[in-house]
Amino acid sequence: MAQCVQSVQELIPDSFVPSVAALCSDEAERLTRRNHLSFAELLKPFSRLTSEVHMRDPNNQLHIIKNLKIAVSNIVTQPPQPGAIRKLLNDVVSGSQPAEGLVANVITAGDYDLNISATTPWFESYRETFLQSMPASDHEFLNHYLACMLVASSGEAEPMEQFSKLSQEQHRIQHNSEYSYPKWFIPNTLKYYVLLHDVSAGDEQRADSIYEEMKQKYGTQGCYLLKINSRTSNRSSDEQIPDPWSQYLQKNSIQHQESYEDGPCTVTSNKNSDGSLLSLDGLDNEVKVDGLPNNFRAHPLQLYQSSDPSNTTDVQDHGKCASTSHETKKVNTGIIHGACLTLTDHDRIRQFIQEFTFRGLLPHIEKTIRQLNDQLISRKGLSRSLFSATKKWFSGSKVPEKSINELKNTSGLLYPPEAPELQIRKMADLCFLVQHYDLAYSCYHTAKKDFLNEQAMLYAAGALEMAAVSAFLQPGAPRPYPAHYMDTAIQTYRDVCKNMVLAERCVLLSAEILKSQGKYSEAAALLIRLTSEDSDLRSALLLEQAAHCFINMKSPMVRKYAFHMILAGHRFSKAGQKKHALRCYCQAMQVYKGKGWSLAEDHINFTIGRQSYTLRQLDNAVSAFRHILINESKQSAAQQGAFLREYLYVYKNVSQVSPDGPLPQLPLPYINSSATRVFFGHDRRPADGEKQAATHISLDQEYDSESCQQWRELEEHVVAVVHRGIIPSNFCPTQYCLNCYSDNSRFPLAVVEEPITVEVAFRNPLKVPLLLTDLSLLWKFQPQDFSAKDNEEVKELVTDETEMIGTEVISEFLINNEESKVARLKLFPHHVGELHVLGIVYNLGTIQGSMAVDGIGALPGCHTGKHSLSMSVRGRQDLEIQGPRLNNTKEEKTSIKYGPDRRLDPIIAEEMPLLEVFFIHFPTGLLCGEIRKAYVEFVNVSKCPLTGLKVVSKRPEFFTFGGNTAVLTPLSPSASENCSAYKTVVTDSASVCTALVSSAASVDFGIGLGSQPEVIPVPLPDSVLLPGASVQLPMWLRGPDEEGVHEINFLFYYESVKKQPKIQHRVLRHTAVICTSRSLNVRATVCRSNSLEDGESKGGNMLVFVDVENTNTSEAGVKEFHIVQMSSSSKHWKLQESVNLSENKDVKLASREKGKFCFKAVRCKEEEAATESSEKYTFADIIFGHEQIISSASPCADFFYRSLASELKKTHTQPSVHSEKQSLEDAVRLIQKCSEVDLNIVILWKAYVVEDNKQLILEGQHHVILRTLGKEAFSYPQKQEPPEMELLKFVRPENTTVSSRPPVEQLSSLIKTSLHYPETFNHPFHLKSLCLVPVTLFLSNCSKTDVDVIVDLRHKATSPEALEIHGSFTWLGQTQYKLQLKSQEVHSLQLKACFVHTGVYNLGTPRVFAKLSDQGTVFETSQQNSMPALIIISNV
């Protein structure tokens, strides 16, 4: 239980005090009424004695009584009605609320920190009123009148006669059988005569003389002269007289309550005086007596029936009631009590009470106790001690058995008033009232046994109850508190006697006693036992006290506390005590909150919301309902719908109270702020026929970090190219779409007149759909002029100017149950400045269902739209996005700090050009290497001209806009066969298999020295695109060499003609998706020709072998491929002629067929050959048909140059850094160059495709880049074989230096040798036995430096087979030659071979050694022999 102001040792004596009746004449009542008080009320504040008093017990022992208090009350002849008592108790509880600003106790129990009110004054007021208002009963005498004050005024005509009348009236009331009420303790009641004298108006001498007369008649101890009203009430006095009556009179006394409820009561004074008395207490005596029915109706709140239409009316009635009682209270507080009394009068009243008690009451009680004691003992003449008394002592006066049986009822026996069993109870009660607890206990104990033996259960229960209390209150505690007595008494009262009032008194007393002994668990059990359906108020108060018991235990039981507080709150609610109900639920909420008990939380919040609304605490109501909605609710859909409608209903009332206030925050739907995305720019246009808009970027695309990084790199690349290789320090990548992954640390830039789209992610956590209407963004805007000077004044903030910012409103937005959905809201900036998106504003409602809220259906015509709206409220939600956590400095790492997220704070910059790009006839599928012509349309849709248009891509080999010169770029497909994408020329048949030579510079195609092939300027006319203008340009595409799906990113870069301070450039993205299928595989090798150079091929010639395989699997409908042309492109070499044996001009390859080609390649002539520094390439075309495709023009040359550039990029290696000497390195490089060749082959083809019963002709080209002699090259990228796994070696290699010696293949290719001789030689051996044949040995220096050559003609026999071949001839003359050959020099040696037999001989025996002239013998190596040189020697 909660802490009490009084201890239990003070509480019980104060609850059971001697009762004294007061009977006043009309004149006496008039005197006291001048102070707005009745006589009984006048004495109330002074009814406690200020000093100890003494009396003697029957054993003549002195007994001390401390703090004795007496209760004086007017005589009322009707017992108080139960309804009146209930009403009184209800008012007492509702009138006692926690004080404002009361500091609550903080109790820490486990994980809980609870704020709990330390005291419960409403319970104490209830308990006090309950104990005082208990009606007197026959089985006990504690509240029976012991004495009666007869009060008359000194101003009456015949005061003594008035006293006689009053005495007779008292006698009639006590002894006449008509009056069963009030109850009197003993027949011989003490009468005490009081003469009231009004000092300010009365005659003091007359009063004294009357008093003397009284003393003579009634004795000095039986009368008193009380002087009051020493001052006139209307006299203004500076003296502030205290008002000790107000605390007592705030609670209306039971007599007034019952007269208000059940009709006028019968008292000795007349009706008028009684009516006046009622009005003094602030109760209107004009109220009809039957204004309140006896069956007092409580106002229980229907918690679960949300559709009950009576609820709202109940609430309103209750509100009226509350306000009426509040006004009454105000009237009450305006009355000044005791206005005619001085402090001296106060002392006189106090003295009067002392005198009455000392001289009248206590002697009377002492005498009565003695009489009762003597009476009991004299009946048997046995021991004077009552402690050994037994039942048989009193058996003589017992009622006969028959009558006992007749009188038996549920409570057992009923005793007549004079029964001896009741005399001992009377004596016990008297002893108890004067605090003689030892004697009282022994009497109660004896009486208890008698009553139990007689089965008089009501009497036995009463004796048990008081015996237990007496035992507890005995000084020195000689025996433990007999709790079982109380338990038996409670059970008897409740179950046998059906008297809940007495049972409740037992529980209240016993619980206080148990609490004082620290037995909280037993006290709680006792309190809970008495909760029942017959009284909600009692049950509520007892449950609340039980909850306090649980929390005050040594180990606080927090959950039990909370549970019982909920039960108490529920019962308070049923009893109409809304404030107390709300308080209980709020206190319990502390325990259930945040513990995952969502259903319990929902119930509590719902009740708190309802109660708060009833009490017009609208903000609390909204808050409670909000909690229900924002927690992850586990309620059913119907229940959630009811919660939502309640919330909307309450919220609507709140908004009506303050319609002009700021828009409050709505709890639904949830907004995932971090998922908010912001998009700057117009929506992408859909495809229109063959016209396809650039994909750019949109909110429908998912975020891909790799893709974002690629776009960023492309933009950095083009910006670096534009700014001559340096990225400006203020460069910031363009971000059109901001999300949680983008860098939002800077203010984003938007362009005036271009929409800003904010995508807000909603989630509906409920199982009922939500309908948002009139949904729009909430923003504030600060107009600025960025081009003006900084010191200009900034205009004021604008938050609702539509000419500054246009706002899109979504009229209806439905979110289904438990659905996540995004809304895209647009703003249209019309002015430069700073924009801040604050949140969203909308009407929250739900779709009209079958159920109505609180009996209120949908308002007709409140909404028109696709969905029927039941009720909606307007509010807002803020978009607050937390930035990324900072983790750079030590301080940031050790604390939790977040950076800014500025995606909702764009800066509106000045107007910029806006480019749209459309692709016409853009293919989605190509063969590998296929060339297709498409068109690109560039449109400037803004009001500013744009310039500097460039496109950048990581795959420049995929597309081209043609060369820089119009001559090289065909404007449209020429009227030649099949409308080829190439520039073609018809040729005559004579030129078949011989090369047609042309040349082109790579600079013309954007691939120059130091250029960036990835950045391609778009050839706009005049380099400017005016507002509203559009340009169509041809674009050639080439299918990538690898099959599969390719995503190719294009980034279009452009600038404004007028430079802007905020935005320097803009970009447009396009991602092309191309699916390529297999076509041809080309592999080629090149080797030196052994034949002697003719005039045209000075500097050597080579043979080029090309293998072409058709790898297409006919899936694309390709019937066959025709190889239409082979072209070479090189700075130094060109194809000269085809050396194919087949004369068939038409080269067809069906599926899986392979074709072999052989071509002769020669060095370019001096005028054709390019210098080392120039980028001019010679193109040579060998055609296999009737049309020459000019390979040096677009698009053939474009794609060749692009593939060459990407190949060079791949094979670009760092120079070796391990060389010891520069000269050695140079030598190695020179030797390597000997075996290098710079020859590129372009294979042009046509493919015949059948599609939809039509034959189409596709064309394309493949490139093979030949770098090294003898090494095979491919047109398609080779897959890298993963290296074989090797065992780990833990031994350090001895030689860590990298050898710089070139491989033998390169060293043996310095000198090319060639023998010239007749193939057959006829010699007459019979004439001359020796045959001499002249042979010329040509030595050709393949390197670019001087080479020392040694020719050794001596035979070196390596095997018997070799001897057989060339052992029979010999070289004549010099056997070894030492020569030095200049760069590219060809030297001839005239040799003679001598034969002695006919036969076939191999002349290829000379061994040639070569080394670089300036390198000593470091790299001297034997040169490769030419093929066997066979000669036939014949005899003539």
Side-chain angles (χ1 to χ4, degrees):
M1 292 170 77
Q3 296 169 11
C4 294
V5 178
Q6 284 182 308
S7 70
V8 66
Q9 281 82 3
E10 296 168 331
L11 167 71
I12 297 175
D14 274 5
S15 304
F16 300 99
V17 295
S19 298
V20 178
L23 200 54
C24 302
S25 69
D26 292 348
E27 183 64 25
E29 198 65 54
R30 188 187 64 76
L31 285 185
T32 56
R33 208 182 304 125
R34 286 183 61 195
N35 296 291
H36 300 293
L37 296 164
S38 69
F39 180 72
E41 288 168 348
L42 182 73
L43 304 183
K44 212 169 204 105
F46 311 102
S47 58
R48 188 184 295 279
L49 301 188
T50 53
S51 58
E52 292 180 354
V53 287
H54 304 268
M55 64 171 281
R56 300 250 171 205
D57 64 10
N59 294 330
N60 214 27
Q61 298 292 317
L62 191 67
H63 172 63
I64 299 169
I65 307 169
K66 296 178 181 177
N67 289 326
L68 181 64
K69 182 182 172 186
I70 62 170
V72 180
S73 57
N74 290 335
I75 292 180
V76 180
T77 58
Q78 290 290 328
Q81 295 300 316
I85 295 174
R86 282 201 299 272
K87 171 91 172 66
L88 171 67
L89 293 173
N90 213 43
D91 291 347
V92 163
V93 173
S94 62
S96 177
Q97 299 290 340
E100 292 293 328
L102 180 71
V103 179
N105 276 11
V106 178
I107 294 180
T108 302
D111 300 337
Y112 302 93
D113 287 326
L114 307 177
N115 283 323
I116 295 171
S117 52
T119 58
T120 48
W122 48 92
F123 171 70
E124 291 174 42
S125 301
Y126 170 87
R127 186 180 59 201
E128 182 185 344
T129 309
F130 171 80
L131 292 171
Q132 285 176 4
S133 65
M134 283 197 69
S137 60
D138 292 329
H139 80 288
E140 65 180 17
F141 306 95
L142 290 163
N143 53 358
H144 290 198
Y145 285 135
L146 279 165
C148 181
M149 291 182 183
L150 305 172
V151 187
S153 167
S154 62
E156 296 191 44
E158 294 292 338
M160 296 305 288
E161 189 181 330
Q162 188 65 44
F163 278 127
S164 299
K165 283 182 184 176
L166 291 174
S167 179
Q168 288 165 17
E169 180 72 14
Q170 188 276 330
H171 189 272
R172 188 171 65 83
I173 291 170
Q174 181 173 357
H175 297 291
N176 194 331
S177 58
E178 291 177 20
Y179 296 102
S180 61
Y181 200 85
K183 305 286 185 186
W184 302 88
F185 208 100
I186 51 174
N188 184 20
T189 303
L190 169 67
K191 292 177 183 174
Y192 196 76
Y193 300 89
V194 181
L195 182 66
L196 269 187
H197 174 63
D198 190 327
V199 175
S200 61
D203 184 350
E204 196 161 342
Q205 286 183 347
R206 183 170 184 265
D208 288 340
S209 67
I210 295 167
Y211 181 49
E212 287 301 323
E213 192 179 340
M214 286 168 65
K215 282 198 282 190
Q216 287 174 6
K217 185 174 180 180
Y218 306 121
T220 54
Q221 297 192 350
C223 57
Y224 194 82
L225 170 62
L226 178 59
K227 296 179 180 180
I228 58 169
N229 297 355
S230 296
R231 66 173 183 172
T232 53
S233 58
N234 55 6
R235 183 169 57 107
S236 60
S237 169
D238 295 337
E239 186 183 9
Q240 289 290 325
I241 303 295
D243 179 6
W245 293 274
S246 56
Q247 58 178 319
Y248 296 99
L249 297 180
Q250 272 175 3
K251 309 162 194 165
N252 296 326
S253 69
I254 183 66
Q255 289 88 349
H256 304 147
Q257 283 291 341
E258 76 189 7
S259 63
Y260 173 64
E261 177 139 354
D262 296 305
C265 41
T266 310
V267 288
T268 54
S269 51
N270 62 29
K271 298 287 186 289
N272 290 338
S273 69
D274 191 48
S276 310
L277 176 62
L278 287 174
S279 65
L280 290 178
D281 280 339
L283 289 165
D284 187 359
N285 63 338
E286 295 297 317
V287 173
K288 280 188 181 177
V289 173
D290 56 354
L292 277 173
N294 283 338
N295 55 344
F296 176 69
R297 187 163 63 91
H299 303 287
L301 185 63
Q302 299 299 322
L303 274 178
Y304 303 107
Q305 298 165 6
S306 61
S307 59
D308 180 9
S310 65
N311 280 355
T312 44
T313 54
D314 274 359
V315 165
Q316 289 162 359
D317 289 349
H318 190 266
K320 286 179 192 167
C321 271
S323 61
T324 313
S325 64
H326 189 60
E327 286 161 19
T328 308
K329 217 175 270 185
K330 279 187 184 171
V331 174
N332 250 343
T333 52
I335 298 171
I336 299 169
H337 301 289
C340 300
L341 302 176
T342 60
L343 289 175
T344 312
D345 293 334
H346 290 193
D347 291 338
R348 285 174 183 151
I349 297 168
R350 199 174 284 113
Q351 185 63 35
F352 160 64
I353 294 292
Q354 295 268 23
E355 285 293 318
F356 166 70
T357 311
F358 285 1
R359 297 179 181 276
L361 185 62
L362 283 179
H364 175 68
I365 291 173
E366 188 177 325
K367 187 175 110 181
T368 308
I369 290 174
R370 283 178 183 279
Q371 283 175 356
L372 287 169
N373 189 44
D374 293 343
Q375 193 181 350
L376 291 170
I377 289 168
S378 65
R379 292 216 174 160
K380 291 300 171 185
L382 296 174
S383 165
R384 292 179 63 85
S385 169
L386 283 168
F387 295 103
S388 58
T390 60
K391 168 199 167 273
K392 62 182 180 181
W393 296 352
F394 309 108
S395 59
S397 61
K398 210 164 63 169
V399 180
E401 189 67 32
K402 186 181 176 188
S403 62
I404 289 174
N405 289 334
E406 286 169 1
L407 288 169
K408 274 205 173 181
N409 60 8
T410 53
S411 309
L413 281 173
L414 291 175
Y415 291 103
E418 68 278 359
E421 285 88 348
L422 291 187
Q423 305 311 310
I424 193 166
R425 170 70 205 235
K426 257 183 198 176
M427 182 174 168
D429 285 349
L430 264 182
C431 293
F432 189 87
L433 290 173
V434 294
Q435 303 174 11
H436 200 318
Y437 299 119
D438 291 341
L439 191 52
Y441 174 75
S442 59
C443 292
Y444 285 132
H445 196 268
T446 306
K448 172 210 49 152
K449 287 199 272 189
D450 290 342
F451 293 140
L452 284 173
N453 287 337
E454 300 283 352
Q455 289 293 300
M457 300 313 294
L458 179 64
Y459 298 90
L464 280 166
E465 174 190 5
M466 297 315 293
V469 175
S470 303
F472 171 72
L473 290 173
Q474 278 180 323
R479 54 180 59 82
Y481 168 61
H484 58 288
Y485 280 15
M486 273 295 194
D487 293 342
T488 308
I490 294 166
Q491 193 174 350
T492 306
Y493 281 143
R494 192 183 62 190
D495 301 337
V496 180
C497 309
K498 307 295 183 193
N499 191 325
M500 292 303 289
V501 175
L502 292 169
E504 184 177 353
R505 184 180 69 184
C506 279
V507 167
L508 293 175
L509 296 175
S510 185
E512 283 296 335
I513 292 168
L514 290 168
K515 187 186 97 173
S516 71
Q517 295 177 334
K519 296 177 179 175
Y520 288 105
S521 180
E522 291 88 337
L526 198 61
L527 291 161
I528 293 165
R529 244 170 66 194
L530 204 68
T531 56
S532 62
E533 290 303 315
D534 65 319
S535 170
D536 289 316
L537 182 64
R538 180 187 70 233
S539 300
L541 288 160
L542 297 186
L543 283 166
E544 184 182 13
Q545 292 307 306
H548 280 282
C549 286
F550 288 125
I551 204 70
N552 282 317
M553 293 169 76
K554 195 173 285 183
S555 300
M557 301 173 82
V558 182
R559 289 198 292 274
K560 276 202 170 186
Y561 161 78
F563 181 66
H564 286 85
M565 283 304 260
I566 293 290
L567 295 176
H570 178 62
R571 299 305 290 271
F572 270 131
S573 178
K574 287 176 74 177
Q577 299 282 348
K578 307 296 182 191
K579 287 185 180 176
H580 287 296
L582 179 60
R583 179 184 48 74
C584 288
Y585 275 102
C586 289
Q587 292 208 336
M589 190 60 178
Q590 298 176 87
V591 175
Y592 288 108
K593 195 173 184 180
K595 293 291 184 295
W597 295 3
S598 61
L599 294 178
E601 260 188 272
D602 287 350
H603 169 77
I604 297 168
N605 273 316
F606 182 71
T607 311
I608 289 173
R610 270 284 180 91
Q611 302 286 17
S612 299
Y613 178 72
T614 307
L615 296 167
R616 307 309 292 166
Q617 298 176 9
L618 297 179
D619 290 341
N620 288 351
V622 169
S623 174
F625 281 119
R626 181 189 174 92
H627 275 295
I628 302 178
L629 298 175
I630 61 175
N631 288 336
E632 292 294 338
S633 177
K634 294 178 182 168
Q635 302 282 1
S636 65
Q639 192 68 52
Q640 287 184 359
F643 286 160
L644 179 59
R645 289 192 297 274
E646 285 276 349
Y647 171 75
L648 295 176
Y649 179 71
V650 171
Y651 185 95
K652 208 164 185 63
N653 281 278
V654 174
S655 56
Q656 284 167 0
V657 171
S658 55
D660 300 329
L663 278 176
Q665 298 281 341
L666 291 174
L668 291 173
Y670 289 0
I671 292 180
N672 183 359
S673 292
S674 64
T676 303
R677 298 195 295 166
V678 185
F679 177 70
F680 302 101
H682 296 278
D683 293 337
R684 180 174 172 254
R685 289 192 190 178
D688 180 16
E690 288 292 323
K691 221 176 189 185
Q692 177 193 350
T695 55
H696 193 42
I697 185 169
S698 74
L699 287 169
D700 298 322
Q701 297 167 0
E702 288 186 10
Y703 176 80
D704 178 13
S705 57
E706 287 183 24
S707 166
C708 282
Q709 185 59 30
Q710 287 174 14
W711 289 117
R712 181 186 176 125
E713 287 171 5
L714 286 174
E715 188 175 354
E716 284 178 356
H717 194 71
V718 69
V719 168
V721 168
V722 169
H723 291 87
R724 296 183 177 82
I726 299 162
I727 296 176
S729 58
N730 62 345
F731 166 75
C732 189
T734 307
Q735 296 190 106
Y736 284 108
C737 184
L738 300 177
N739 51 33
C740 54
Y741 306 106
S742 54
D743 177 14
N744 304 324
S745 57
R746 296 181 180 163
F747 292 104
L749 294 170
V751 176
V752 74
E753 303 299 343
E754 290 186 21
I756 298 166
T757 308
V758 178
E759 182 185 87
V760 184
F762 292 112
R763 183 169 73 84
N764 178 8
L766 302 182
K767 295 170 185 165
V768 291
L770 296 176
L771 185 61
L772 312 186
T773 55
D774 298 339
L775 172 65
S776 63
L777 289 170
L778 196 63
W779 47 268
K780 67 177 181 181
F781 182 69
Q782 192 169 345
Q784 283 187 347
D785 189 0
F786 295 116
S787 58
K789 293 176 183 174
D790 294 338
N791 57 7
E792 276 193 19
E793 288 185 13
V794 176
K795 294 178 192 171
E796 284 185 20
L797 251 65
V798 183
T799 52
D800 208 15
E801 294 282 342
T802 48
E803 60 266 16
M804 292 286 185
I805 305 284
T807 308
E808 181 190 43
V809 178
I810 296 177
S811 60
E812 277 192 357
F813 188 75
L814 179 69
I815 312 173
N816 286 320
N817 43 320
E818 297 181 330
E819 182 188 18
S820 294
K821 194 173 179 182
V822 295
R824 291 177 183 168
L825 299 155
K826 288 186 179 175
L827 295 176
F828 302 92
H830 304 308
H831 197 282
V832 295
E834 293 176 7
L835 178 65
H836 303 279
V837 178
L838 305 174
I840 55 168
V841 59
Y842 57 96
N843 296 323
L844 172 64
T846 181
I847 296 174
Q848 174 64 46
S850 57
M851 290 184 291
V853 188
D854 281 338
I856 296 166
L859 303 173
C862 68
H863 173 76
T864 54
K866 202 164 44 169
H867 304 285
S868 172
L869 188 69
S870 64
M871 182 188 302
S872 69
V873 294
R874 190 145 188 86
R876 64 184 280 183
Q877 280 202 65
D878 291 340
L879 289 171
E880 293 173 350
I881 304 174
Q882 188 178 63
R885 184 170 173 186
L886 302 175
N887 203 25
N888 298 324
T889 63
K890 185 180 179 184
E891 184 188 353
E892 288 169 355
K893 287 176 181 174
T894 52
S895 61
I896 298 176
K897 285 189 177 179
Y898 293 93
D901 191 303
R902 298 198 168 104
R903 70 182 98 157
L904 294 174
D905 304 317
I907 291 172
I908 313 298
E910 291 177 5
E911 204 165 21
M912 284 288 288
L914 184 62
L915 176 72
E916 284 192 358
V917 178
F918 298 96
F919 296 89
I920 303 160
H921 303 303
F922 198 88
T924 54
L926 292 172
L927 294 172
C928 291
E930 181 188 344
I931 304 289
R932 191 79 66 88
K933 187 173 186 180
Y935 288 89
V936 188
E937 186 175 14
F938 298 98
V939 186
N940 182 357
V941 294
S942 68
K943 296 175 184 174
C944 299
L946 67 83
T947 185
L949 180 58
K950 294 177 176 55
V951 60
V952 58
S953 174
K954 286 279 176 72
R955 302 284 291 273
E957 68 275 11
F958 170 68
F959 68 99
T960 178
F961 288 105
N964 296 353
T965 57
V967 180
L968 296 171
T969 308
L971 291 174
S972 63
S974 62
S976 62
E977 97 179 344
N978 304 321
C979 295
S980 170
Y982 291 111
K983 185 174 181 182
T984 57
V985 177
V986 178
T987 59
D988 59 342
S989 58
S991 62
V992 173
C993 300
T994 55
L996 301 170
V997 179
S998 58
S999 65
S1002 63
V1003 180
D1004 292 335
F1005 297 94
I1007 315 287
L1009 282 170
S1011 72
Q1012 296 286 345
E1014 288 94 348
V1015 180
I1016 299 157
V1018 177
L1020 289 177
D1022 303 326
S1023 300
V1024 173
L1025 195 58
L1026 295 172
S1030 67
V1031 171
Q1032 263 195 27
L1033 294 175
M1035 183 187 205
W1036 288 269
L1037 309 169
R1038 178 176 180 269
D1041 289 317
E1042 292 178 68
E1043 69 167 333
V1045 179
H1046 301 268
E1047 277 195 4
I1048 297 162
N1049 292 334
F1050 299 90
L1051 186 78
F1052 294 94
Y1053 167 100
Y1054 57 99
E1055 299 170 1
S1056 174
V1057 173
K1058 178 189 171 190
K1059 296 298 177 192
Q1060 302 289 5
K1062 289 282 179 188
I1063 306 178
Q1064 276 75 33
H1065 68 272
R1066 302 192 82 178
V1067 294
L1068 176 69
R1069 301 176 181 179
H1070 177 63
T1071 300
V1073 179
I1074 298 287
C1075 181
T1076 54
S1077 48
R1078 286 187 285 187
S1079 57
L1080 299 177
N1081 272 358
V1082 184
R1083 46 176 79 197
T1085 50
V1086 60
C1087 60
R1088 289 207 177 99
S1089 169
N1090 287 323
S1091 62
L1092 286 170
E1093 286 84 351
D1094 50 20
E1096 287 183 13
S1097 57
K1098 189 170 187 286
N1101 50 24
M1102 295 188 293
L1103 290 177
V1104 180
F1105 298 95
V1106 182
D1107 288 359
V1108 183
E1109 182 185 2
N1110 176 1
T1111 57
N1112 187 275
T1113 52
S1114 302
E1115 288 167 7
V1118 180
K1119 283 173 36 182
E1120 58 186 11
F1121 284 90
H1122 288 225
I1123 310 300
V1124 295
Q1125 182 171 313
M1126 290 273 184
S1127 298
S1128 69
S1129 171
S1130 172
K1131 293 181 185 177
H1132 309 294
W1133 295 88
K1134 64 181 180 182
L1135 291 182
Q1136 189 184 40
E1137 58 185 355
S1138 169
V1139 291
N1140 271 13
L1141 296 175
S1142 168
E1143 291 299 320
N1144 186 4
K1145 295 187 292 180
D1146 197 10
V1147 183
K1148 294 180 185 177
L1149 291 176
S1151 180
R1152 293 294 174 187
E1153 282 188 350
K1154 188 183 284 188
K1156 285 186 175 288
F1157 300 86
C1158 182
F1159 303 98
K1160 180 180 178 183
V1162 297
R1163 279 192 185 274
C1164 297
K1165 295 174 183 175
E1166 290 298 327
E1167 65 272 15
E1168 292 174 347
T1171 59
E1172 197 68 38
S1173 60
S1174 89
E1175 292 291 318
K1176 193 168 186 182
Y1177 283 72
T1178 300
F1179 288 81
D1181 303 334
I1182 294 178
I1183 58 174
F1184 299 112
H1186 300 293
E1187 273 188 330
Q1188 176 195 0
I1189 295 171
I1190 300 180
S1191 56
S1192 59
S1194 285
C1196 183
D1198 294 79
F1199 290 116
F1200 159 66
Y1201 281 127
R1202 277 163 174 58
S1203 66
L1204 182 66
S1206 63
E1207 188 66 29
L1208 286 170
K1209 199 173 173 185
K1210 286 180 199 168
T1211 57
H1212 180 66
T1213 54
Q1214 294 291 328
S1216 173
V1217 292
H1218 299 291
S1219 302
E1220 294 171 5
K1221 296 177 183 175
Q1222 188 63 40
S1223 60
L1224 192 65
E1225 194 177 317
D1226 292 345
V1228 170
R1229 188 77 198 98
L1230 285 167
I1231 292 166
Q1232 284 174 346
K1233 275 194 171 181
C1234 285
S1235 59
E1236 283 182 5
V1237 63
D1238 168 26
L1239 179 61
N1240 309 295
I1241 306 295
V1242 182
I1243 299 93
L1244 294 112
W1245 49 264
K1246 287 184 180 177
Y1248 291 84
V1249 179
V1250 177
E1251 194 175 276
D1252 300 333
N1253 295 325
K1254 289 181 187 173
Q1255 180 164 313
L1256 301 175
I1257 298 178
L1258 308 179
E1259 53 194 350
Q1261 64 188 60
H1262 281 77
H1263 313 117
V1264 182
I1265 295 168
L1266 294 164
R1267 289 266 174 272
T1268 311
L1269 286 168
K1271 190 172 180 183
E1272 199 169 30
F1274 303 89
S1275 66
Y1276 50 94
Q1278 294 298 299
K1279 289 180 181 174
Q1280 291 290 325
E1281 289 291 329
E1284 289 184 11
M1285 193 180 290
E1286 293 182 6
L1287 292 173
L1288 285 173
K1289 294 179 182 177
F1290 294 98
V1291 181
R1292 181 181 293 174
E1294 293 175 8
N1295 185 15
T1296 55
T1297 58
V1298 177
S1299 170
S1300 61
R1301 183 182 176 87
V1304 175
E1305 292 83 9
Q1306 292 179 4
L1307 290 172
S1308 61
S1309 300
L1310 288 173
I1311 300 294
K1312 176 181 156 187
T1313 59
S1314 179
L1315 289 167
H1316 280 222
Y1317 57 90
E1319 288 186 9
T1320 58
F1321 195 83
N1322 297 325
H1323 180 71
F1325 280 99
H1326 58 276
L1327 298 177
K1328 198 174 183 181
S1329 59
L1330 293 178
C1331 174
L1332 299 178
V1333 179
V1335 178
T1336 306
L1337 173 64
F1338 285 94
L1339 299 170
S1340 177
N1341 182 2
C1342 296
S1343 70
K1344 297 285 181 74
T1345 184
D1346 296 351
V1347 176
D1348 291 343
V1349 182
I1350 297 172
V1351 180
D1352 190 354
L1353 298 178
R1354 290 172 296 176
H1355 293 308
K1356 184 179 181 186
T1358 54
S1359 64
E1361 291 81 6
L1363 284 169
E1364 285 174 15
I1365 295 168
H1366 53 72
S1368 57
F1369 89 95
T1370 183
W1371 294 103
L1372 300 180
Q1374 193 174 337
T1375 57
Q1376 197 174 43
Y1377 297 85
K1378 289 190 177 180
L1379 308 167
Q1380 187 176 53
L1381 296 185
K1382 303 289 183 194
S1383 167
Q1384 305 282 327
E1385 184 186 345
V1386 179
H1387 186 79
S1388 59
L1389 282 177
Q1390 300 300 325
L1391 307 176
K1392 282 186 181 177
C1394 178
F1395 302 88
V1396 293
H1397 295 279
T1398 58
V1400 179
Y1401 295 90
N1402 180 11
L1403 296 178
T1405 59
R1407 285 177 295 155
V1408 180
F1409 299 90
K1411 66 178 180 64
L1412 299 186
S1413 297
D1414 55 351
Q1415 288 298 322
T1417 58
V1418 179
F1419 294 141
E1420 186 173 278
T1421 310
S1422 172
Q1423 299 301 294
Q1424 287 177 349
N1425 278 342
S1426 57
M1427 293 165 65
L1430 300 177
I1431 188 169
I1432 303 170
I1433 304 296
S1434 309
N1435 190 11
V1436 177

